[in-house]
Amino acid sequence: MAYIRAYPRSSIRHVSREIGVSVGAVHKILKKNKMHAYKPEFVQHLRIGDSERRLQFLSWFSVQFEIDNLFYKNILWTDESKFTNNGVMNKQNNRFWDDTNPHWSRETNFQTVWGINVWCGLIGGILLGPYFYDGTLSGRRILDFLVNQLPLLLEDVSLATRENMYFQLDGAPAHNAIIVKNYLNEIFPNRWIGTNGVIPWPARSPDSTPLDFFLWGHLKNVVYADPPINLQDLKNKIRLACSNLRREQINAATSTELLKRLESCLEHQGGNFEQFIR
């Protein structure tokens, strides 16, 4: 135990070799002392000033929450993500139970990569999208989407929600194009959240947006569990994964989990907090 306290990142086999005790004995000692093997949590690197900007957003959120403790249900969280044929399957969520090693493998095409860009939005318990687009994200492309596609997607959202809706987007360079900001100022006056928005969104905060901490990971686990064979198959799998999402799952991400994360961010003075969430 003294060795483990001094070198807590040592493997059981390493400890066994260093102190001359069998692997089984080391495991028993660790179990007896209620020791657990914890895995590292990968968190976004924050730059100087990021914590202060996160606290500023939390201050705005808290004021709105005091006025109406359900206002966050009117925030439309949006984001884009790239899905490819070489998406990484989460091996932690995939198992093949047998009494002998089946030597299970999965083919991938490291030299042939194709994919599609996807936009989705989450508001309350509703998922908007997926909307597919080709090519690089640009200010002109975003403006075209906002003018011609977003109104159609919002038809599933109640009029009362749309009239009080906040539009959120993150700090992708194309989101900060002047034509995009001018349009958002016109359509969502004083009600859009962005890096340079009327409500400043803190850069490098994927831990606080439901699409980053919930939706993209969930969709990719589902889509990549059965590798797509072509682009149309990839699109179909994304659509199916979206349609199978339950309202309760989306509600939990955009309410319970969101509030828990913002509270944890505040508790840690705007710093990284995901490693403390259970």
Side-chain angles (χ1 to χ4, degrees):
M1 287 305 299
Y3 190 90
I4 285 292
R5 293 295 184 190
Y7 306 101
R9 295 172 63 178
S10 300
S11 69
I12 288 179
R13 291 188 179 278
H14 176 81
V15 176
S16 171
R17 289 195 303 268
E18 289 297 308
I19 65 176
V21 176
S22 70
V23 170
V26 173
H27 191 269
K28 278 185 179 181
I29 293 169
L30 293 175
K31 186 176 180 180
K32 179 180 178 181
N33 286 273
K34 299 181 179 181
M35 302 291 283
H36 302 278
Y38 296 99
K39 296 178 180 179
E41 186 74 38
F42 292 100
V43 297
Q44 173 66 47
H45 169 69
L46 297 178
R47 299 179 184 175
I48 295 174
D50 283 351
S51 294
E52 288 75 14
R53 283 185 282 271
R54 282 152 71 93
L55 289 174
Q56 288 170 6
F57 176 77
L58 290 171
S59 177
W60 169 83
F61 190 96
S62 298
V63 170
Q64 302 306 312
F65 191 83
E66 286 294 324
I67 297 172
D68 176 8
N69 61 11
L70 293 178
F71 96 96
Y72 58 87
K73 291 183 177 293
N74 293 327
I75 298 177
L76 173 56
W77 304 93
T78 73
D79 197 15
E80 303 87 14
S81 186
K82 181 72 176 274
F83 285 69
T84 70
N85 60 316
N86 275 342
V88 179
M89 179 178 70
N90 186 344
K91 299 200 296 183
Q92 297 296 327
N93 295 335
N94 289 269
R95 297 287 185 271
F96 191 117
W97 294 97
D98 206 340
D99 57 359
T100 57
N101 187 348
H103 301 291
W104 185 26
S105 66
R106 170 189 152 174
E107 291 185 349
T108 187
N109 296 306
F110 293 113
Q111 295 182 333
T112 306
V113 179
W114 42 262
I116 190 70
N117 296 305
V118 184
W119 177 96
C120 281
L122 294 177
I123 182 168
I126 300 173
L127 180 141
L128 304 183
Y131 171 75
F132 302 106
Y133 65 93
D134 297 313
T136 303
L137 190 65
S138 66
R140 181 61 60 183
R141 187 184 296 278
I142 292 176
L143 180 62
D144 178 71
F145 168 81
L146 292 172
V147 173
N148 299 306
Q149 300 299 326
L150 185 61
L152 301 177
L153 294 169
L154 286 172
E155 289 179 357
D156 292 332
V157 179
S158 70
L159 179 60
T161 298
R162 277 181 278 164
E163 288 178 341
N164 296 284
M165 188 172 72
Y166 292 85
F167 185 84
Q168 182 271 343
L169 68 175
D170 63 19
H175 293 167
N176 293 314
I178 293 176
I179 54 175
V180 173
K181 292 188 291 184
N182 288 343
Y183 181 78
L184 291 174
N185 283 329
E186 177 185 348
I187 303 302
F188 300 102
N190 300 316
R191 288 186 291 111
W192 71 275
I193 306 167
T195 304
N196 295 313
V198 290
I199 302 165
W201 173 254
R204 291 168 289 280
S205 296
D207 51 8
S208 302
T209 59
L211 287 101
D212 280 310
F213 68 68
F214 162 66
L215 184 67
W216 298 133
H218 173 82
L219 292 183
K220 289 181 179 181
N221 278 343
V222 174
V223 169
Y224 297 147
D226 180 20
I229 58 176
N230 55 44
L231 187 58
Q232 188 56 52
D233 185 41
L234 175 59
K235 289 182 179 180
N236 291 339
K237 289 182 185 301
I238 294 171
R239 289 193 184 99
L240 181 60
C242 286
S243 66
N244 285 338
L245 268 173
R246 302 190 309 277
R247 190 180 185 93
E248 294 78 11
Q249 291 175 284
I250 302 171
N251 259 325
T254 57
S255 57
T256 309
E257 184 65 21
L258 172 67
L259 294 177
K260 180 173 72 173
R261 284 169 171 267
L262 295 183
E263 182 179 0
S264 185
C265 186
L266 182 60
E267 289 175 355
H268 294 90
Q269 297 298 306
N272 285 315
F273 59 85
E274 285 190 295
Q275 64 272 35
F276 302 107
I277 290 181
R278 295 184 179 180

